[in-house]
Amino acid sequence: MKIISNPDYSQQQELLERPQQERANVETAVTDIIQLVKENGDQALFAFAEKFDKAKLGTLRVTEKEIEQASTLVSPELKVAIQTAYQNIYKFHEACYTQDYPVIETMPGMTCWRKSLPIQKVGLYIPGGSAPLFSTVLMLAIPAKIAGNKRVVLCSPTDANGNINPAVLYTASICGITEIYKAGGAQAIAAMTYGTESIPAVDKIFGPGNAFVTRAKELAQQQGVAIDMPAGPSEVLVIADQKANPVFVAADLLAQAEHGPDSQVILLTDSITLAEAVNEQLRIQLSTLSRKQIAEKAIENSKTIVLESIEECVKWSDAYAPEHLIINTENAGDVADQIQVAGSIFIGSYTCESLGDYASGTNHTLPTYGYARNYSGVSVDSFVNKVTYQKATSQGLKNLGPAVEIMATAEGLDAHKNAVSVRLKEIENYN
Amino acid sequence: MKIISNPDYSQQQELLERPQQERANVETAVTDIIQLVKENGDQALFAFAEKFDKAKLGTLRVTEKEIEQASTLVSPELKVAIQTAYQNIYKFHEACYTQDYPVIETMPGMTCWRKSLPIQKVGLYIPGGSAPLFSTVLMLAIPAKIAGNKRVVLCSPTDANGNINPAVLYTASICGITEIYKAGGAQAIAAMTYGTESIPAVDKIFGPGNAFVTRAKELAQQQGVAIDMPAGPSEVLVIADQKANPVFVAADLLAQAEHGPDSQVILLTDSITLAEAVNEQLRIQLSTLSRKQIAEKAIENSKTIVLESIEECVKWSDAYAPEHLIINTENAGDVADQIQVAGSIFIGSYTCESLGDYASGTNHTLPTYGYARNYSGVSVDSFVNKVTYQKATSQGLKNLGPAVEIMATAEGLDAHKNAVSVRLKEIENYN
């Protein structure tokens, strides 16, 4: 990994720039797919399943029997591991969720409160392909379960035999999801946007995907469907000092690098010795990985920046706004407290990102590509709307009404004033 | 207002359809404006101020002296009213905000927590024009103050003399905002998106505006800047029964109708007698309004739907997903509890929407045009990012690591597993 030593501040922006995302050729393909799903509904989905997944599907909805069978295909150890993750994720997400906020009497007789109401219909997209992302099912289905959405729909592509990955089905079933459809890619997003004979249109779509899925979600958003957050390639930034174990640091960088050739990993350190030791470890560990070629490519685009101090590393990290931030330094907790911008933070030598990716309890659906500046990771909040309520008694209206009359008049909005005045008048007459 | 009695369910979608929004001619104009601001910075803003606001500006930033002078131009009664509103809004928003969530030990040695961190730079847009929206300053600047954003920028257009409305400046100043710029319309949004010599680029843009501002915000979002929510014309839905006072109901409908000719108001009731009495009141009250012509036009596009029962009204209201919902019935609180979809709910005879628009304590920046299905109104949450943290001790890693190894292997992600394995190995060697 390229080492840059003590760069000038003026180079910061250039050094921290993310690789440009390629979007060519996606646009037309996605627009065509959406149009076909909108026009032909289920028939278009059958045709796309045959074209893209080589699968001849009889029906789109996964049957109860298929879900039961899937369970028999998941190993007992994996089931226990998934259940452990489920419990941790449930516990943490439930603790971070507020359903009923305190009732506040802002003035005598004027009471306001706020409640979280579940979004009526949500759609979860789980990609297929090389890595069956059952972990993403946990990260989306658990908050949906806590939120209590009336209808939760899951779409995922099948293999050539028309089966969705059994671990995906098993995980969905333990999260209480029963409405699962065989549909992948942009066509699945289109189905959840416009609805088909089988698949309902939903209010909000969640989940990762390739460039086609990402573009389809953007277009869904323009149709009034909400989405979890804008997407980009995954990334990690590690802050490490001379006491950090280079074996751990290299392993963490590679765990991110294996996601895809466009993944970005950045190491910030105050120690050139560590930087070099990490490079040595990268060479050693890379050779053993099954996804070596992918990781190698990602590492090529990545860099180590050596800075004067850990405080400087914090500043550079904030400027980068990393999705994942691993702090592998002395007093890592204090360093974490200084961070202002990140998606999720992993503190200390033993807290590798993989823990959070799967099972620590936090969510792995996080803002990447700089979006940690202005978006939050997925939580139960993502599955609810916060609705406000207010109730005035006659006394409340007497206390607050005159102020509202003055302000409405000053904004030139007579009828706003009048809605108060007719009520105050009635109260007066009544008394 | 047109009365539709006991329509069939099959007509629901058509009856509740919102008027199409016109977008013609905006696209090119906005793209050109953005391009000019991007290229010419402040100079473009000066030119647009002259073109659109007929103002020759010397500098863009409002001076401390201008803010002080503005204060002398606001009447003492209006100041007191604004301060009352400030206190209520502050109190309620603070009570609904959680900065530090509980620290959860999901497994022995595995600790997770979440914090709200303020977005670094936010921009507030306050329109000028016929109604000086100082109330919107309160609704955006108070949550920003509670969130503690490092930099809060406010843009608003001036009159022909180069002055921003004094009530807007006064309100901004009591909210602690000192960085105020004379810029309006799409050009202000472009400035906060790309930055100019005077105005910084921000991470998130808030605030209402006309079709040009709305489109500029959409384009800003495509550049990676977050926005508060998608925009649409304001709307109210009133559920009222035979005991409701038709004078109040008509006043509430008109308060919404005066916003603009494209505002929509809907009355749902189980009483044809009330529907007719409200129509009579609309005629009487309309004649006295200063914004009569606007309100008349909006009322033309609006309708009363008479349904069998208040429970039916609740179902129709949920299908409409109103921005503002006024419940003017017996046991209005119970009716409110049945509602699943709305932006903000006003309960009972004395709780007119104007109270919430100005001063009850809730926020008036709400999802409209059906977005109440999948977006929440502005709150302090809108001004922060929720960041998750996790820390594993060696014991925590021993407890959770093996499950993560199994899951990473099942997803085919070796390097993810390896990040755990190298650590577990070291712990073993050490013991």
Side-chain angles (χ1 to χ4, degrees):
Chain A
M1 213 157 84
K2 200 178 166 192
I3 298 178
I4 297 122
S5 267
N6 292 306
D8 193 76
Y9 244 116
S10 63
Q11 294 171 263
Q12 190 185 64
Q13 204 176 349
E14 193 196 328
L15 283 171
L16 296 181
E17 200 155 6
R18 289 166 171 87
Q20 208 77 40
Q21 284 183 270
E22 291 203 27
R23 317 197 97 194
N25 301 330
V26 170
E27 190 65 30
T28 322
V30 172
T31 314
D32 290 350
I33 289 171
I34 292 174
Q35 194 54 36
L36 280 168
V37 173
K38 203 175 155 187
E39 279 170 15
N40 304 333
D42 284 355
Q43 286 315 311
L45 296 175
F46 286 125
F48 285 125
E50 199 162 345
K51 183 175 174 192
F52 295 127
D53 309 322
K54 315 289 170 223
K56 278 195 180 262
L57 302 178
T59 51
L60 293 171
R61 179 138 182 194
V62 175
T63 62
E64 268 179 56
K65 205 176 154 195
E66 283 178 288
I67 295 171
E68 278 165 32
Q69 279 175 338
S71 173
T72 66
L73 298 171
V74 179
S75 74
E77 312 83 68
L78 182 55
K79 281 185 183 169
V80 172
I82 290 173
Q83 281 156 14
T84 301
Y86 176 93
Q87 278 155 18
N88 290 351
I89 296 164
Y90 197 102
K91 207 183 286 180
F92 179 68
H93 281 68
E94 194 181 35
C96 289
Y97 173 54
T98 307
Q99 187 164 10
D100 290 298
Y101 290 83
V103 177
I104 302 295
E105 195 169 15
T106 51
M107 288 183 108
M110 183 72 242
T111 312
C112 301
W113 63 100
R114 187 165 84 144
K115 269 194 214 177
S116 302
L117 294 184
I119 295 174
Q120 297 287 292
K121 288 180 280 183
V122 299
L124 317 182
Y125 180 67
I126 305 297
S130 59
L133 296 181
F134 57 82
S135 62
T136 302
V137 179
L138 291 169
M139 298 296 174
L140 300 179
I142 293 172
K145 189 175 183 182
I146 297 169
N149 305 101
K150 209 164 153 187
R151 200 158 177 189
V152 183
V153 165
L154 187 150
C155 288
S156 192
T158 70
D159 59 19
N161 297 319
N163 296 317
I164 292 177
N165 180 280
V168 167
L169 289 185
Y170 169 75
T171 309
S173 77
I174 69 164
C175 294
I177 296 183
T178 53
E179 195 172 349
I180 305 172
Y181 297 99
K182 298 175 178 180
Q187 57 274 24
I189 306 302
M192 293 191 281
T193 304
Y194 293 102
T196 69
E197 298 87 334
S198 300
I199 303 178
V202 301
D203 300 318
K204 191 167 183 177
I205 298 174
F206 297 77
N210 58 20
F212 295 84
V213 169
T214 297
R215 184 60 191 148
K217 280 173 70 185
E218 285 172 6
L219 292 172
Q221 198 177 19
Q222 290 175 27
Q223 294 301 317
V225 178
I227 64 170
D228 45 2
M229 70 186 77
S234 196
E235 66 201 16
V236 72
L237 188 147
V238 178
I239 298 178
D241 61 15
Q242 54 169 6
K243 295 213 175 155
N245 185 333
V247 178
F248 297 1
V249 175
D252 290 340
L253 298 175
L254 289 171
Q256 190 58 50
E258 76 171 340
H259 270 299
D262 57 352
S263 286
Q264 213 190 7
V265 308
I266 287 184
L267 171 60
L268 300 180
T269 179
D270 60 352
S271 160
I272 182 77
T273 319
L274 178 87
E276 283 162 358
V278 168
N279 266 359
E280 177 57 22
Q281 271 301 317
L282 284 174
R283 271 188 293 275
I284 295 169
Q285 293 183 27
L286 246 177
S287 63
T288 68
L289 294 181
S290 61
R291 294 166 72 97
K292 181 185 163 184
Q293 283 178 327
I294 293 173
E296 222 162 19
K297 197 128 193 210
I299 291 290
E300 270 172 33
N301 298 325
S302 301
K303 52 194 80 137
T304 297
I305 303 174
V306 183
L307 297 165
E308 265 188 9
S309 63
I310 294 300
E311 289 95 81
E312 279 299 300
C313 294
V314 166
K315 282 185 202 162
W316 281 63
S317 177
D318 276 352
Y320 181 73
E323 178 192 9
H324 303 100
L325 169 59
I326 298 175
I327 301 177
N328 195 340
T329 64
E330 273 201 306
N331 306 318
D334 297 341
V335 176
D337 284 341
Q338 293 167 43
I339 291 290
Q340 291 300 311
V341 192
S344 191
I345 304 181
F346 301 78
I347 300 171
S349 183
Y350 293 121
T351 318
C352 49
E353 189 206 307
S354 326
L355 293 179
D357 288 341
Y358 288 104
S360 67
T362 61
N363 207 291
H364 80 196
T365 310
L366 294 166
T368 187
Y369 209 68
Y371 286 113
R373 289 189 191 94
N374 41 21
Y375 289 86
S376 306
V378 161
S379 68
V380 185
D381 292 338
S382 315
F383 290 84
V384 301
N385 297 321
K386 312 263 173 157
V387 179
T388 50
Y389 300 76
Q390 49 250 291
K391 185 175 163 61
T393 62
S394 61
Q395 191 55 49
L397 189 76
K398 273 160 102 175
N399 287 335
L400 187 57
V404 171
E405 289 182 308
I406 291 167
M407 287 193 277
T409 305
E411 286 194 354
L413 296 173
D414 278 16
H416 280 64
K417 170 180 183 283
N418 202 41
V420 174
S421 307
V422 293
R423 287 169 164 92
L424 285 176
K425 207 170 152 193
E426 194 239 32
I427 294 171
E428 241 170 62
N429 289 344
Y430 187 76
N431 288 343
Chain B
M1 215 157 83
K2 201 179 166 189
I3 298 177
I4 297 123
S5 268
N6 292 305
D8 192 77
Y9 243 118
S10 62
Q11 293 171 266
Q12 190 184 64
Q13 203 176 349
E14 193 197 327
L15 284 171
L16 296 181
E17 201 156 6
R18 288 166 171 87
Q20 208 77 40
Q21 283 183 271
E22 290 203 27
R23 317 197 97 194
N25 301 330
V26 170
E27 190 65 28
T28 322
V30 172
T31 314
D32 289 351
I33 289 171
I34 292 174
Q35 194 54 34
L36 279 168
V37 173
K38 203 176 157 186
E39 278 170 16
N40 304 333
D42 284 355
Q43 286 316 310
L45 296 175
F46 286 125
F48 285 125
E50 199 163 344
K51 185 175 173 190
F52 295 127
D53 309 322
K54 316 288 170 223
K56 278 194 180 264
L57 303 178
T59 51
L60 293 172
R61 178 138 181 192
V62 175
T63 63
E64 270 180 54
K65 206 176 153 194
E66 283 177 289
I67 295 171
E68 278 165 31
Q69 280 175 334
S71 173
T72 65
L73 298 172
V74 179
S75 73
E77 311 83 70
L78 182 55
K79 281 184 183 170
V80 172
I82 290 173
Q83 281 157 14
T84 300
Y86 176 93
Q87 280 157 16
N88 290 350
I89 296 164
Y90 197 102
K91 206 182 289 179
F92 179 68
H93 281 69
E94 194 182 35
C96 290
Y97 173 53
T98 307
Q99 187 163 11
D100 290 298
Y101 289 82
V103 177
I104 303 295
E105 195 169 16
T106 52
M107 287 181 106
M110 183 72 244
T111 312
C112 300
W113 65 99
R114 187 165 86 144
K115 268 194 216 178
S116 303
L117 294 184
I119 295 174
Q120 297 287 290
K121 288 180 280 183
V122 299
L124 317 182
Y125 180 68
I126 305 296
S130 59
L133 297 181
F134 57 83
S135 61
T136 302
V137 179
L138 291 168
M139 297 298 173
L140 301 179
I142 292 172
K145 190 175 184 184
I146 296 169
N149 305 101
K150 210 164 154 186
R151 200 160 177 189
V152 182
V153 166
L154 188 150
C155 287
S156 192
T158 71
D159 61 19
N161 298 318
N163 296 317
I164 292 176
N165 180 279
V168 167
L169 289 185
Y170 168 74
T171 309
S173 77
I174 67 164
C175 295
I177 296 183
T178 54
E179 195 172 351
I180 304 171
Y181 296 99
K182 298 174 178 179
Q187 57 273 25
I189 306 301
M192 293 191 281
T193 303
Y194 293 102
T196 69
E197 299 88 333
S198 300
I199 302 178
V202 301
D203 299 317
K204 191 167 183 176
I205 298 174
F206 296 79
N210 58 21
F212 294 84
V213 169
T214 297
R215 183 61 190 147
K217 281 173 69 184
E218 285 172 5
L219 293 171
Q221 198 176 19
Q222 290 175 26
Q223 294 302 317
V225 179
I227 64 170
D228 45 3
M229 70 187 76
S234 195
E235 66 202 16
V236 72
L237 188 148
V238 178
I239 297 178
D241 61 13
Q242 55 170 5
K243 294 212 175 157
N245 185 332
V247 177
F248 297 1
V249 175
D252 290 340
L253 297 175
L254 289 171
Q256 189 58 50
E258 76 171 340
H259 270 299
D262 56 353
S263 287
Q264 213 191 6
V265 307
I266 287 184
L267 170 60
L268 300 181
T269 179
D270 60 352
S271 160
I272 181 76
T273 319
L274 178 87
E276 282 162 0
V278 168
N279 265 359
E280 176 58 24
Q281 272 301 318
L282 284 173
R283 269 188 293 274
I284 296 168
Q285 293 184 27
L286 247 176
S287 64
T288 68
L289 295 180
S290 62
R291 294 167 72 98
K292 180 186 164 185
Q293 283 177 328
I294 293 174
E296 222 161 19
K297 198 128 192 211
I299 291 290
E300 272 170 32
N301 299 324
S302 302
K303 53 193 79 139
T304 297
I305 303 174
V306 183
L307 297 165
E308 264 188 11
S309 63
I310 294 301
E311 290 95 80
E312 278 299 300
C313 294
V314 166
K315 283 185 201 161
W316 282 63
S317 177
D318 276 352
Y320 182 73
E323 177 191 10
H324 304 99
L325 169 60
I326 299 176
I327 301 177
N328 196 339
T329 63
E330 272 202 305
N331 305 317
D334 297 339
V335 177
D337 285 342
Q338 294 167 41
I339 292 291
Q340 292 300 312
V341 192
S344 191
I345 303 179
F346 301 79
I347 299 171
S349 183
Y350 293 121
T351 319
C352 48
E353 190 206 306
S354 325
L355 293 178
D357 288 341
Y358 288 104
S360 67
T362 61
N363 207 292
H364 80 195
T365 310
L366 294 166
T368 187
Y369 209 67
Y371 286 114
R373 289 188 191 94
N374 41 21
Y375 289 87
S376 305
V378 161
S379 69
V380 184
D381 292 338
S382 316
F383 290 83
V384 301
N385 297 320
K386 311 264 171 155
V387 179
T388 52
Y389 300 75
Q390 50 250 289
K391 185 175 163 60
T393 62
S394 62
Q395 191 55 49
L397 190 75
K398 274 160 100 175
N399 288 335
L400 188 57
V404 171
E405 290 182 308
I406 291 166
M407 286 192 279
T409 304
E411 286 194 354
L413 297 172
D414 278 17
H416 280 65
K417 170 180 184 281
N418 203 41
V420 173
S421 307
V422 294
R423 287 170 164 92
L424 285 176
K425 207 169 153 193
E426 195 238 33
I427 294 171
E428 242 170 60
N429 290 343
Y430 187 76
N431 288 343

Short mmCIF file of all heavy atoms in Angstrom, two decimals, chain B residues 395-420:
data_model
loop_
_atom_site.label_atom_id
_atom_site.label_comp_id
_atom_site.label_asym_id
_atom_site.label_seq_id
_atom_site.Cartn_x
_atom_site.Cartn_y
_atom_site.Cartn_z
N GLN B 395 -12.24 -10.85 26.35
CA GLN B 395 -13.32 -11.78 26.69
C GLN B 395 -14.49 -11.64 25.72
O GLN B 395 -15.07 -12.63 25.28
CB GLN B 395 -13.79 -11.49 28.14
CG GLN B 395 -14.72 -12.55 28.70
CD GLN B 395 -14.11 -13.96 28.63
OE1 GLN B 395 -12.96 -14.16 29.04
NE2 GLN B 395 -14.85 -14.91 28.09
N GLY B 396 -14.79 -10.43 25.36
CA GLY B 396 -15.86 -10.18 24.40
C GLY B 396 -15.56 -10.85 23.07
O GLY B 396 -16.44 -11.46 22.45
N LEU B 397 -14.32 -10.71 22.63
CA LEU B 397 -13.94 -11.34 21.36
C LEU B 397 -14.05 -12.86 21.45
O LEU B 397 -14.49 -13.52 20.52
CB LEU B 397 -12.52 -10.93 20.97
CG LEU B 397 -12.16 -11.34 19.54
CD1 LEU B 397 -12.83 -10.44 18.52
CD2 LEU B 397 -10.66 -11.36 19.33
N LYS B 398 -13.64 -13.40 22.60
CA LYS B 398 -13.73 -14.85 22.78
C LYS B 398 -15.19 -15.31 22.76
O LYS B 398 -15.52 -16.37 22.22
CB LYS B 398 -13.09 -15.27 24.12
CG LYS B 398 -11.58 -15.50 24.00
CD LYS B 398 -10.90 -15.42 25.32
CE LYS B 398 -10.60 -16.75 25.97
NZ LYS B 398 -9.81 -16.55 27.22
N ASN B 399 -16.07 -14.49 23.33
CA ASN B 399 -17.48 -14.87 23.36
C ASN B 399 -18.15 -14.77 21.99
O ASN B 399 -18.97 -15.61 21.63
CB ASN B 399 -18.26 -13.97 24.35
CG ASN B 399 -17.91 -14.30 25.79
OD1 ASN B 399 -17.51 -15.42 26.10
ND2 ASN B 399 -18.06 -13.33 26.67
N LEU B 400 -17.81 -13.72 21.26
CA LEU B 400 -18.54 -13.46 20.02
C LEU B 400 -17.78 -13.91 18.77
O LEU B 400 -18.40 -14.24 17.75
CB LEU B 400 -18.84 -11.94 19.92
CG LEU B 400 -19.74 -11.49 18.78
CD1 LEU B 400 -21.09 -12.20 18.85
CD2 LEU B 400 -19.94 -9.98 18.82
N GLY B 401 -16.44 -13.91 18.85
CA GLY B 401 -15.61 -14.19 17.68
C GLY B 401 -15.98 -15.46 16.91
O GLY B 401 -16.14 -15.42 15.69
N PRO B 402 -16.14 -16.60 17.61
CA PRO B 402 -16.44 -17.84 16.88
C PRO B 402 -17.71 -17.75 16.04
O PRO B 402 -17.75 -18.26 14.91
CB PRO B 402 -16.58 -18.87 18.01
CG PRO B 402 -15.69 -18.33 19.10
CD PRO B 402 -15.86 -16.84 19.04
N ALA B 403 -18.75 -17.08 16.53
CA ALA B 403 -19.98 -16.94 15.74
C ALA B 403 -19.69 -16.13 14.47
O ALA B 403 -20.18 -16.45 13.38
CB ALA B 403 -21.06 -16.25 16.57
N VAL B 404 -18.87 -15.08 14.63
CA VAL B 404 -18.54 -14.25 13.46
C VAL B 404 -17.71 -15.05 12.45
O VAL B 404 -17.92 -14.95 11.23
CB VAL B 404 -17.80 -12.97 13.91
CG1 VAL B 404 -17.25 -12.20 12.71
CG2 VAL B 404 -18.74 -12.08 14.73
N GLU B 405 -16.79 -15.88 12.96
CA GLU B 405 -16.00 -16.72 12.04
C GLU B 405 -16.90 -17.62 11.20
O GLU B 405 -16.72 -17.78 9.99
CB GLU B 405 -15.00 -17.57 12.84
CG GLU B 405 -13.87 -16.75 13.46
CD GLU B 405 -12.86 -17.62 14.20
OE1 GLU B 405 -13.30 -18.42 15.06
OE2 GLU B 405 -11.66 -17.50 13.91
N ILE B 406 -17.89 -18.22 11.85
CA ILE B 406 -18.80 -19.13 11.14
C ILE B 406 -19.62 -18.37 10.09
O ILE B 406 -19.77 -18.80 8.95
CB ILE B 406 -19.75 -19.83 12.14
CG1 ILE B 406 -18.95 -20.81 13.01
CG2 ILE B 406 -20.89 -20.54 11.42
CD1 ILE B 406 -19.71 -21.31 14.24
N MET B 407 -20.13 -17.20 10.48
CA MET B 407 -20.96 -16.45 9.54
C MET B 407 -20.14 -15.91 8.36
O MET B 407 -20.59 -15.96 7.22
CB MET B 407 -21.69 -15.31 10.28
CG MET B 407 -22.83 -15.84 11.15
SD MET B 407 -23.93 -14.53 11.74
CE MET B 407 -22.94 -13.97 13.12
N ALA B 408 -18.94 -15.39 8.64
CA ALA B 408 -18.10 -14.87 7.56
C ALA B 408 -17.75 -15.98 6.59
O ALA B 408 -17.78 -15.78 5.36
CB ALA B 408 -16.85 -14.22 8.15
N THR B 409 -17.45 -17.15 7.11
CA THR B 409 -17.14 -18.28 6.24
C THR B 409 -18.34 -18.63 5.37
O THR B 409 -18.21 -18.85 4.15
CB THR B 409 -16.73 -19.51 7.09
OG1 THR B 409 -15.64 -19.12 7.94
CG2 THR B 409 -16.30 -20.67 6.20
N ALA B 410 -19.52 -18.64 5.97
CA ALA B 410 -20.73 -18.98 5.22
C ALA B 410 -21.03 -17.95 4.14
O ALA B 410 -21.64 -18.26 3.12
CB ALA B 410 -21.92 -19.11 6.17
N GLU B 411 -20.61 -16.70 4.35
CA GLU B 411 -20.81 -15.69 3.31
C GLU B 411 -19.63 -15.64 2.33
O GLU B 411 -19.59 -14.79 1.44
CB GLU B 411 -21.06 -14.30 3.94
CG GLU B 411 -22.45 -14.17 4.55
CD GLU B 411 -22.84 -12.72 4.88
OE1 GLU B 411 -21.99 -11.82 4.75
OE2 GLU B 411 -24.00 -12.51 5.27
N GLY B 412 -18.67 -16.53 2.53
CA GLY B 412 -17.54 -16.59 1.61
C GLY B 412 -16.55 -15.46 1.77
O GLY B 412 -15.83 -15.11 0.84
N LEU B 413 -16.54 -14.85 2.96
CA LEU B 413 -15.66 -13.71 3.18
C LEU B 413 -14.53 -14.08 4.16
O LEU B 413 -14.58 -13.79 5.35
CB LEU B 413 -16.47 -12.51 3.68
CG LEU B 413 -17.53 -11.97 2.70
CD1 LEU B 413 -18.42 -10.92 3.35
CD2 LEU B 413 -16.87 -11.39 1.44
N ASP B 414 -13.51 -14.71 3.61
CA ASP B 414 -12.34 -15.17 4.37
C ASP B 414 -11.66 -14.12 5.21
O ASP B 414 -11.27 -14.35 6.36
CB ASP B 414 -11.24 -15.59 3.38
CG ASP B 414 -11.46 -16.98 2.89
OD1 ASP B 414 -12.59 -17.48 3.05
OD2 ASP B 414 -10.50 -17.54 2.32
N ALA B 415 -11.43 -12.97 4.58
CA ALA B 415 -10.65 -11.93 5.26
C ALA B 415 -11.43 -11.39 6.46
O ALA B 415 -10.83 -10.97 7.45
CB ALA B 415 -10.28 -10.82 4.29
N HIS B 416 -12.77 -11.40 6.35
CA HIS B 416 -13.58 -11.00 7.49
C HIS B 416 -13.36 -11.97 8.65
O HIS B 416 -13.23 -11.56 9.81
CB HIS B 416 -15.07 -10.99 7.13
CG HIS B 416 -15.51 -9.76 6.38
ND1 HIS B 416 -15.05 -9.45 5.13
CD2 HIS B 416 -16.37 -8.76 6.72
CE1 HIS B 416 -15.61 -8.32 4.74
NE2 HIS B 416 -16.41 -7.88 5.69
N LYS B 417 -13.33 -13.25 8.32
CA LYS B 417 -13.08 -14.26 9.34
C LYS B 417 -11.68 -14.06 9.92
O LYS B 417 -11.47 -14.09 11.13
CB LYS B 417 -13.20 -15.65 8.72
CG LYS B 417 -12.72 -16.79 9.61
CD LYS B 417 -12.87 -18.13 8.91
CE LYS B 417 -12.49 -19.27 9.82
NZ LYS B 417 -11.02 -19.45 9.94
N ASN B 418 -10.73 -13.84 9.04
CA ASN B 418 -9.33 -13.75 9.43
C ASN B 418 -9.08 -12.64 10.45
O ASN B 418 -8.23 -12.78 11.34
CB ASN B 418 -8.48 -13.54 8.17
CG ASN B 418 -7.06 -13.98 8.39
OD1 ASN B 418 -6.82 -15.01 9.02
ND2 ASN B 418 -6.11 -13.18 7.89
N ALA B 419 -9.81 -11.52 10.30
CA ALA B 419 -9.63 -10.40 11.23
C ALA B 419 -9.97 -10.84 12.66
O ALA B 419 -9.38 -10.35 13.64
CB ALA B 419 -10.50 -9.22 10.80
N VAL B 420 -10.91 -11.76 12.78
CA VAL B 420 -11.22 -12.33 14.10
C VAL B 420 -10.16 -13.36 14.49
O VAL B 420 -9.62 -13.35 15.61
CB VAL B 420 -12.63 -12.99 14.10
CG1 VAL B 420 -12.88 -13.72 15.41
CG2 VAL B 420 -13.70 -11.95 13.84
#
